[in-house]
Amino acid sequence: MNLDCSDIRDNKQSFDISALGSPISVMASEDHSPSPTMTNTTFTIDICKPLRKAKGIPKEEDCPNGSRVCGIQRLINTFENSTTFEAAIPIAGQYTLHGGTELDPQITRFKTSASPSDREKEGFRLQLHGQKYPNGKNGVMHRAVIEYLCQDKAEEKGERDLAARNKDDDDAEEEDHSATGEVAHDGHGGTLKYKDFALVDGTKVLSLEWLTKYACENPKGGDDSKAKGSHWGFFTWLIIIIFLATAAYLIFGSWLNYNRYSARGWDLVPHSETIRDIPYIFKDWMRRVLSTVQGGGSRGGYSAV
């Protein structure tokens, strides 16, 4: 099953996140104190299409073709000021060409979720599946779970105080470089936040939280566009009703004139004499208007003595 970013649908509700269809990265850091080392994992995600191979990177230091979510793990030694590649983790993707698993996207709309805590949110949860890593019997399955939260509602109701948390993260980034990279801006006013990367029921699950306007069921500006659409719909129906009423009147009137007066030709049309006089009435009215405009300076039609 493929994923159509322009129509993320669950329970008749559709979301269009195609604007978010480009690679975005968020980083998580794990400190190994008292050792002078830390592990940085950069999670790169492209929801709408497979990630492209990075140029100049060895094959073993990148995720396989078909990856939608990839984690690149590096060991940083602050004492030696060195960085060492550790792993390229294929978290989610379409790996059937390599004899692996399918992406198998699973969508859950929060408002129809079985969880009461989910129903308080607006948006949807997207699960993307991966394959075993590392290869072999010791490998574990991987999966990405991304919660797309409506930005308008989250900021309005203060769900988990997301706006304040993002500001705190930005401040922490400036004050403490060890907390760098846990929030990424998506270029559309939203933010992608790393939550966790842990073993859940035998599967290694990457949890992300994406705060975006594209997860709103009634986004700002949407009501206005709907209102415009409803106005256009009203006038369209009004024109159709007027047209049908006029046609019905002409047909019924013509039938009545034919049966009652044995009328033929133009005389079949109701009020045909009045309709024939319309051009002359309009011409006479235009003559009066022009006469009024041209003779506006006269005194009631009398000449001065």
Side-chain angles (χ1 to χ4, degrees):
M1 178 182 176
N2 205 357
L3 183 65
D4 182 4
C5 285
S6 64
D7 187 20
I8 304 291
R9 183 175 295 273
D10 185 50
N11 289 297
K12 299 182 180 180
Q13 176 64 44
S14 178
F15 299 91
D16 183 357
I17 60 170
S18 54
L20 304 177
S22 57
I24 181 173
S25 297
V26 63
M27 186 168 62
S29 302
E30 182 182 354
D31 194 2
H32 302 308
S33 298
S35 171
T37 60
M38 61 187 302
T39 299
N40 276 359
T41 306
T42 301
F43 300 101
T44 303
I45 175 175
D46 191 337
I47 291 298
C48 300
K49 58 184 181 297
L51 292 167
R52 291 185 178 181
K53 290 285 188 178
K55 293 182 179 179
I57 301 296
K59 182 179 180 181
E60 61 273 9
E61 294 186 15
D62 205 350
C63 287
N65 292 326
S67 295
R68 299 287 182 100
V69 185
C70 176
I72 303 297
Q73 207 168 71
R74 293 181 175 90
L75 181 68
I76 297 176
N77 191 314
T78 55
F79 180 75
E80 298 179 356
N81 196 24
S82 63
T83 301
T84 306
F85 169 81
E86 283 197 326
I89 309 170
I91 297 169
Q94 188 78 13
Y95 300 119
T96 50
L97 293 177
H98 309 283
T101 56
E102 294 188 356
L103 183 66
D104 189 22
Q106 296 178 1
I107 302 154
T108 303
R109 181 186 172 203
F110 287 131
K111 287 190 176 180
T112 56
S113 172
S115 170
S117 60
D118 279 352
R119 290 196 294 269
E120 296 176 1
K121 309 172 189 175
E122 183 173 328
F124 63 96
R125 180 182 293 109
L126 177 64
Q127 291 192 49
L128 304 175
H129 296 80
Q131 62 182 14
K132 280 188 175 183
Y133 181 85
N135 294 325
K137 63 179 182 180
N138 294 327
V140 296
M141 294 298 296
H142 283 68
R143 182 172 75 236
V145 178
I146 310 162
E147 290 191 348
Y148 289 84
L149 296 176
C150 173
Q151 188 172 15
D152 298 339
K153 185 160 185 177
E155 291 176 352
E156 179 183 332
K157 293 190 174 183
E159 288 182 357
R160 294 187 298 276
D161 203 13
L162 291 175
R165 271 169 43 190
N166 291 341
K167 183 178 184 304
D168 291 343
D169 287 332
D170 292 340
D171 293 340
E173 183 174 347
E174 294 175 2
E175 297 170 4
D176 183 3
H177 294 286
S178 66
T180 298
E182 291 192 353
V183 173
H185 297 273
D186 61 15
H188 297 276
T191 54
L192 176 66
K193 183 175 181 64
Y194 166 84
K195 291 177 65 179
D196 196 15
F197 188 42
L199 206 60
V200 179
D201 296 330
T203 300
K204 197 70 176 290
V205 179
L206 170 65
S207 299
L208 301 173
E209 189 175 77
W210 204 322
L211 184 66
T212 174
K213 61 186 176 182
Y214 299 109
C216 300
E217 297 185 8
N218 293 300
K220 286 182 179 178
D223 293 339
D224 294 339
S225 59
K226 284 183 180 180
K228 290 179 182 177
S230 64
H231 289 317
W232 276 109
F234 169 76
F235 285 116
T236 302
W237 278 109
L238 181 63
I239 292 171
I240 291 173
I241 290 171
I242 292 174
F243 173 78
L244 292 176
T246 303
Y249 173 75
L250 291 174
I251 293 171
F252 178 75
S254 299
W255 175 82
L256 193 64
N257 287 339
Y258 175 80
N259 285 278
R260 181 176 292 179
Y261 305 113
S262 299
R264 296 289 187 277
W266 182 254
D267 292 332
L268 279 171
V269 180
H271 306 293
S272 57
E273 293 182 0
T274 303
I275 294 174
R276 276 186 297 218
D277 288 340
I278 286 176
Y280 304 101
I281 295 171
F282 179 74
K283 188 176 181 180
D284 185 57
W285 177 79
M286 286 296 297
R287 188 182 295 114
R288 287 173 180 270
V289 171
L290 291 174
S291 177
T292 303
V293 171
Q294 293 173 356
S298 65
R299 302 178 180 178
Y302 294 96
S303 300
V305 179

